[in-house]
């Protein structure tokens, strides 16, 4: 029996927009074990990003429980959450979200600014992360001087530089060409297998989802039971 | 640790034009304030430099200003042998009887003319004004209708060049030299022979005042305390320095107007900085969300944008300093409320004034930057990430 690192119980998120209630996520209970690589799939608007954001504590649930690494996220204050996220979560965005005025190396170093590490240690860690994603020769390039695939690899380096236990990725290949997407997916696979990172990845693309060890489906805010997928899913 | 300072700084460089325009606005505001400060500072320096600490100005009781004072030869004779007065190089009492009058001189800037003080002195009068020396041409010859002009006057009035003739009183006076009074008041006046001027003005026995040098500080104190009590003399005694210091107020109106204009501009500059920073916050919304996801707390975001605004304003402060620097040592003049004639002095853009200018700019940056920085810090992560 492997240890559960991400556990949600009856997790819900509702938005109120112009007096209408939108249920983004309803009563989602999921347990993800250490070292798992889970792909979240489902139609647009089904609540995939919402679930991922709640796991990353980027937002607070309307109701339900969420514990990551045994830490109940509901009980933490904003600044405690910030520190917690810095230490335990590496987040990868669809649109890379690098800071354009900083170089690749500075972007990767950034999360380490919040740690106790000194400048030279930070630099050493950042360099190592960039070398791991195969960008040792692009350290002083700014995001504008990089291709989309390279940008996303820098973003991956930034996500792993603090050596977090979880990597959460929201459609990391959504803005990439096929070759770059393959690079990013194989990197995620390596991080999962060689470094034992727990990975949760939202994706639209069934092909990308094959990189994962498990696929969970969402539909209209509901997390479908394991092994079940909506019948009409393949058509979309 | 916080978001690197280079992040704030490079973002300013990344939007060069907006940054520069805003900084220029702040710079102009600073320049206005610095210009009036440099004017006031220059005037103060000039007035403070006027007069040896032991020089005493003696006027008739109750006359307040030299121009209203009248002093007879007899009173002077009674005065000059009082104890405590220093000796000049010839061994005579260092006391100079003087006559002051005001003439109107025209210049290209002021075609209708400006009041200039003309001072009749004995040769000893120049000796007491140490620091003053003839820098061009020669001293006037006693008994001739000749004048030497202060260098401030010489610089601004075409009629006050060596060789030209200034008409006043009963005829023309030839300019034979230029007097360099250091930073002092002598720069603003015209000097001539006391007897010539007195007979020209029909004031042989109605001279103006006496400038004397006390032997030492305790004598100076004694003269200031005792002479006014001598009912026969009927005189007031003040230190020359104190007398001139009253004229610092002459800059007050210009200063008030300048400061008022600078304040109005400062309000505008604060709003300009605020506008620029709000735009930066809106444009970098996704970056703010990203920084928060990486683990930076709200206060880091606040500090980062606040610093950016401060950097912007420091840039503006430096521009302001550069704009006024060419004014440094530029000669100008201002009407005095004490002598009713012009005081000539140089703008003085001191490092201290420039420091104040930069601090003033930073204050504008702080006021303008606070609200945008706070709004950046207040954003919810997901809201920030969604705005593009
Ligand atoms: N801030 C918000 N205000 C109102 N409704 C929202 C908000 N955020 C998300 N929603 C709604 O919640 C639902 C789920 O959104 P979510 O972003 O989780 O979907 P998704 O599965 O990630 O879709 P996609 O594949 O398009 O990214 C959608 O109907 C969406 O419109
Ligand atoms: Mg989504």
């Amino acid at each position: 029996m492997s240890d559960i690192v991400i556990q949600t119980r009856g997790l819900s998120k509702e938005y109120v927009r112009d007096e209408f209630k939108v249920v983004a996520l309803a009563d989602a209970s999921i347990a993800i074990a250490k070292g798992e690589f889970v792909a979240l799939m489902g139609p647009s608007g089904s609540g995939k990003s919402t679930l991922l954001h709640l796991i990353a504590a980027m937002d607070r649930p309307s109701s339900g429980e969420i514990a990551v690494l045994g830490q109940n996220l509901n009980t933490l204050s904003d600044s405690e959450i910030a520190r917690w996220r810095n230490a335990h979560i590496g987040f990868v965005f669809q649109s890379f979200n690098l800071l354009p005025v900083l170089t690749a190396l500075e972007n990767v170093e950034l999360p380490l600014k919040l740690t106790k590490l000194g400048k030279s240690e930070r630099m050493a860690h950042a360099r190592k992360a960039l070398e791991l994603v195969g960008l040792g020769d692009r350290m002083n390039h700014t995001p504008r001087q990089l291709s989309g695939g390279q940008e996303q690899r820098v973003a991956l380096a930034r996500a792993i530089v603090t050596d977090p236990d979880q990597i959460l990725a929201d459609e990391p290949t959504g803005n990439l060409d096929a070759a770059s997407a393959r690079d990013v997916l194989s990197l995620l696979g390596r991080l999962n297998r060689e470094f034992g990172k727990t990975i949760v990845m939202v994706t639209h693309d069934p092909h990308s989802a094959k990189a994962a060890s498990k696929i969970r489906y969402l539909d209209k805010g509901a997390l479908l039971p394991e092994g079940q997928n909506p019948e009409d899913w393949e058509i979309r | 640790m916080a978001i690197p300072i280079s992040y704030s700084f490079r973002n300013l460089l990344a939007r060069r034009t907006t940054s520069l325009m805003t900084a220029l606005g702040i710079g102009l505001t600073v320049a206005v304030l610095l210009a009036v400060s440099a004017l006031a500072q220059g005037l103060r320096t000039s007035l403070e430099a006027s007069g040896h600490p032991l020089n005493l100005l003696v006027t008739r009781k109750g006359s307040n200003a030299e121009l209203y004072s009248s002093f007879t030869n007899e009173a002077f004779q009674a005065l000059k042998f009082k104890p405590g007065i220093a000796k000049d190089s010839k061994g005579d009492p260092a006391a100079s009887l003087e006559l002051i009058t005001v003439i109107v001189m025209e210049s290209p800037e002021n075609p209708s003319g400006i009041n200039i003080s003309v001072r009749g002195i004995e040769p000893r009068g120049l000796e007491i004004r140490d620091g003053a020396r003839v820098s061009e041409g020669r001293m006037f010859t006693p008994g001739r209708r000749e004048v030497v002009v202060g260098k401030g006057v010489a610089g601004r009035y075409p009629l006050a060049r060596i060789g030209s003739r200034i008409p006043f009183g009963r005829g023309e006076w030839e300019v034979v030299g230029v007097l360099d009074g250091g930073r002092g008041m002598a720069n603003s006046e015209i000097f001539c022979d006391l007897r010539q001027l007195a007979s020209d003005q029909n004031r042989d026995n109605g001279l103006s005042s006496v400038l004397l040098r006390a032997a030492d500080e305790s004598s100076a104190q004694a003269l200031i305390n005792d002479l006014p009590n001598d009912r026969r003399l009927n005189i007031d005694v003040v230190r020359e320095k104190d007398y001139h210091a009253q004229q610092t107020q002459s800059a007050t109106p210009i200063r008030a107007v300048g400061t008022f204009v600078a304040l109005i501009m400062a309000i505008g500059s604060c709003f300009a900085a605020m506008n620029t920073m709000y735009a930066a916050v809106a444009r970098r919304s996704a970056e703010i969300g990203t920084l928060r996801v990486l683990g930076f707390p709200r206060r880091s975001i606040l500090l980062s944008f606040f610093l950016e605004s401060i950097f912007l304003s420091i840039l503006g402060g430096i521009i302001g300093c550069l704009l006024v620097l060419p004014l440094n040592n530029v000669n100008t003049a201002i009407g005095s409320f004490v002598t009713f004639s012009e005081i000539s002095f140089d703008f003085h853009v001191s490092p201290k004034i420039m420091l104040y200018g930069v601090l003033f700019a930073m204050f504008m940056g702080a006021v303008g930057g606070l609200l945008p920085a706070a709004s950046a810090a207040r954003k919810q992560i997901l809201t920030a990430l969604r705005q593009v």
Side-chain angles (χ1 to χ4, degrees), chain B residues 368-385:
Chain B
L370 200 56
L371 284 179
S375 86
R378 253 197 318 269
K379 281 179 194 291
Q380 297 291 330
I381 297 182
L382 291 183
T383 322
L385 283 172

Side-chain angles (χ1 to χ4, degrees), chain A residues 48-49 170-171 202:
Chain A
K48 308 180 294 291
S49 296
D170 196 347
E171 306 199 29
V202 169

Side-chain angles (χ1 to χ4, degrees), chain B residues 122-358:
Chain B
E122 294 178 303
R124 190 181 296 116
L126 208 57
E127 198 179 315
I128 298 176
R129 290 177 170 80
D130 51 16
R133 59 182 185 85
V134 175
S135 59
E136 272 177 70
R138 58 173 173 84
M139 189 59 187
F140 60 79
T141 315
R144 290 232 193 113
R145 294 176 73 84
E146 292 177 350
V147 298
V148 293
V149 295
K151 74 167 185 212
V153 178
R156 271 198 321 283
Y157 297 91
L159 212 54
R161 305 270 146 78
I162 291 179
S164 51
R165 292 170 176 279
I166 306 175
F168 66 87
R170 291 195 197 135
E172 293 184 329
W173 298 69
E174 189 186 349
V175 180
V176 296
V178 173
L179 193 76
D180 181 350
R183 278 189 181 271
M185 280 291 289
N187 289 329
S188 314
E189 298 182 340
I190 296 176
F191 294 83
C192 63
D193 177 36
L194 174 67
R195 302 294 154 202
Q196 271 298 319
L197 184 65
S199 72
D200 194 85
Q201 305 271 313
N202 269 335
R203 285 182 64 176
D204 283 311
N205 214 16
L207 305 167
S208 303
S209 56
V210 174
L211 185 67
L212 60 82
R213 170 73 58 85
D216 50 45
E217 179 51 36
S218 58
S219 312
Q221 270 306 333
L223 289 167
I224 291 168
N225 291 337
D226 301 344
L227 288 184
N229 297 332
D230 189 328
R231 290 176 145 262
R232 208 164 39 90
L233 285 175
N234 191 33
I235 53 174
D236 280 329
V237 183
V238 291
R239 285 182 200 269
E240 192 190 5
K241 269 186 172 319
D242 294 345
Y243 176 76
H244 290 313
Q246 301 169 41
Q247 304 181 59
T248 326
Q249 310 156 354
S250 305
T252 307
I254 293 185
R255 233 193 150 167
V257 170
T259 309
F260 181 70
V261 170
L263 276 182
I264 301 279
M265 287 175 72
I267 294 171
S269 297
C270 282
F271 277 110
M274 195 182 292
N275 189 44
T276 305
M277 290 312 298
Y278 265 127
V281 169
R283 192 170 36 241
R284 304 219 302 275
S285 180
E287 292 182 34
I288 294 167
T290 305
L291 286 164
R292 293 282 306 282
V293 171
L294 295 180
F296 288 97
R298 291 179 193 273
R299 60 171 186 282
S300 296
I301 306 285
L302 180 93
L303 190 68
S304 179
F305 278 89
F306 188 67
L307 274 182
E308 191 168 321
S309 183
I310 297 282
F311 286 151
L312 183 64
S313 63
I314 290 177
L315 189 71
I318 292 171
I319 292 178
C321 290
L322 292 180
L323 286 177
V324 289
L325 217 46
L327 269 185
N328 197 23
N329 294 329
V330 167
N331 186 266
T332 186
I334 195 170
S336 162
F337 295 151
V338 176
T339 61
F340 291 100
S341 53
E342 252 195 355
I343 315 170
S344 158
F345 61 96
D346 298 344
F347 276 92
H348 189 47
V349 186
S350 67
K352 192 169 136 191
I353 283 183
M354 290 198 282
L355 178 70
Y356 283 151
V358 174

